[in-house]
Amino acid sequence: MVRAERGGRLYDLFKDRSLVAIGLGEIGDLSRLPSRDKIAAAVVQSRPDWKAQAVAMSTGQLHRFRSEMKIGDVVVTYDPGRRIYLVGEIAGDYGFDPAVDPEDPHVRPVRWHREISRDLLSAASRNSLGSISALFALGKDVLDDIERALTSERPLPPPAAAESAVVEEDVFQDIQAKALEFIKDRIAALSWSDMQELVAGLLRALGYKTRVSPTGPDQGKDIVASPDGFGFEPPRIVVEVKHRQGAIGAQAIRSFLGGRHPQDKGLYVSTGGFTRDARYEADRASIPLSLMTGDDLVTAIIEQYEKLDLKTQQLVPLKKVYWPA
């Protein structure tokens, strides 16, 4: 699959000029870069601000386009506006031609066969072809499905709708799981003081007023939350925030409980989690005590995100994604 850029900008060019092309043209003709390592070095020189993962991805795509794609290989591109795939085969070796498109000058000649509607493909194939990568290999099942579609003029029969629902749910769950991990990564990268502010912002979203302890010895509390903001009006919630990799043990829980008043409620937040003994200590505490892990914090942030004040949202900026129901 060679994507015709976002929105299918290059689709007609690919079709009319009988070729496919990819970008990062500023590194020049790949013919002068005999190895993958040489390509990687050129990418780094061209994009010094890129992270290692982005460099590796672009290097892999350029190397595959130049060296791994063979004459006769099936090639596909897509026009999202018309929901049409153009199917052909590689017809020549790699070339560098900025005249084709200044942004995408790395080219391969193609012998195009025909266009097929996205509706002719199975849900699994549509999912595989939906990757946003500029260039990626197609699996045998997808190639077989494309070959079937090339000889068909009718969409798949109605049972494919059930298949589509299953595939969509699988993709959604995969995206959801990845999103949760990315949010945890963002939270893990916060400083201790920002983590403290994040927890305080969450409590404010739940209707409490908060007082955050200044940097330094906090005598077992980082945040005090209450309806009046002073701790006079119940409930008075005393919060300890630990932002580190190691799990919190029983002794830390006992130390936290040691300075509490009988009417206090306790919240202990640990991005490193808690040991089994710590949970046992919390269960037998003399005051109500809730333990919040990093996963629990992410869940609470997502549930209350629309209620968070702007300052708190900026600590972990999120965007809403709509998905078919």
Side-chain angles (χ1 to χ4, degrees), residues 245-258:
Q245 292 185 350
I248 295 298
Q251 181 56 48
I253 299 298
R254 287 193 290 268
S255 297
F256 174 72
L257 292 169

Side-chain angles (χ1 to χ4, degrees), residues 39-60:
I39 296 176
V43 173
V44 170
Q45 184 177 8
S46 172
R47 301 294 174 89
D49 57 324
W50 276 11
K51 295 182 178 179
Q53 184 177 3
V55 170
M57 181 179 297
S58 291
T59 298

Side-chain angles (χ1 to χ4, degrees), residues 49-301:
D49 57 324
W50 276 11
K51 295 182 178 179
Q53 184 177 3
V55 170
M57 181 179 297
S58 291
T59 298
Q61 291 177 350
L62 289 167
H63 182 264
R64 169 169 284 170
F65 190 82
R66 193 271 308 273
S67 302
E68 295 182 4
M69 292 170 60
K70 304 300 182 185
I71 295 174
D73 283 352
V74 175
V75 64
V76 180
T77 194
Y78 183 53
D79 180 353
R82 292 184 293 161
R83 301 180 67 252
I84 288 175
Y85 293 99
L86 182 59
V87 184
E89 63 182 76
I90 298 296
D93 294 327
Y94 164 82
F96 182 75
D97 189 356
V100 170
D101 185 86
E103 297 182 20
D104 296 77
H106 305 291
V107 300
R108 294 291 297 260
V110 173
R111 184 179 301 106
W112 295 115
H113 298 320
R114 57 166 290 194
E115 294 175 324
I116 57 173
S117 168
R118 181 172 166 86
D119 294 328
L120 293 174
L121 299 174
S122 69
S125 294
R126 296 197 300 266
N127 174 41
S128 295
L129 292 166
S131 171
I132 63 172
S133 297
L135 183 149
F136 56 94
L138 303 179
K140 184 178 183 304
D141 290 346
V142 177
L143 290 171
D144 289 345
D145 197 29
I146 289 173
E147 185 176 353
R148 176 199 55 75
L150 285 170
T151 61
S152 174
E153 295 293 341
R154 295 184 299 172
L156 291 173
E163 175 197 4
S164 179
V166 172
V167 171
E168 287 175 4
E169 181 61 24
D170 288 344
V171 174
F172 176 73
Q173 291 181 4
D174 180 59
I175 291 175
Q176 189 177 44
K178 289 178 179 177
L180 289 173
E181 291 304 315
F182 290 151
I183 295 171
K184 284 193 284 186
D185 290 343
R186 286 290 186 94
I187 289 177
L190 292 176
S191 65
W192 174 82
S193 59
D194 282 342
M195 176 65 73
Q196 189 173 250
E197 292 295 338
L198 179 64
V199 175
L202 174 60
L203 289 165
R204 289 194 296 273
L206 293 171
Y208 297 98
K209 296 180 180 179
T210 60
R211 287 189 295 122
V212 179
S213 299
T215 303
D218 57 10
Q219 293 160 354
K221 61 180 184 298
D222 295 317
I223 305 166
V224 175
S226 62
D228 61 359
F230 296 103
F232 299 131
E233 183 180 348
R236 178 178 183 264
I237 302 174
V238 181
V239 187
E240 178 77 1
V241 180
K242 294 298 183 185
H243 185 33
R244 61 192 187 196
Q245 292 185 350
I248 295 298
Q251 181 56 48
I253 299 298
R254 287 193 290 268
S255 297
F256 174 72
L257 292 169
R260 304 286 70 83
H261 300 296
Q263 70 274 18
D264 285 345
K265 316 293 183 186
L267 173 63
Y268 206 115
V269 181
S270 169
T271 54
F274 301 89
T275 65
R276 183 175 60 181
D277 289 343
R279 293 186 178 280
Y280 173 74
E281 201 68 35
D283 288 340
R284 60 192 289 268
S286 57
I287 65 168
L289 173 60
S290 179
L291 303 183
M292 176 177 278
T293 65
D295 285 347
D296 298 331
L297 178 60
V298 169
T299 299
I301 291 295

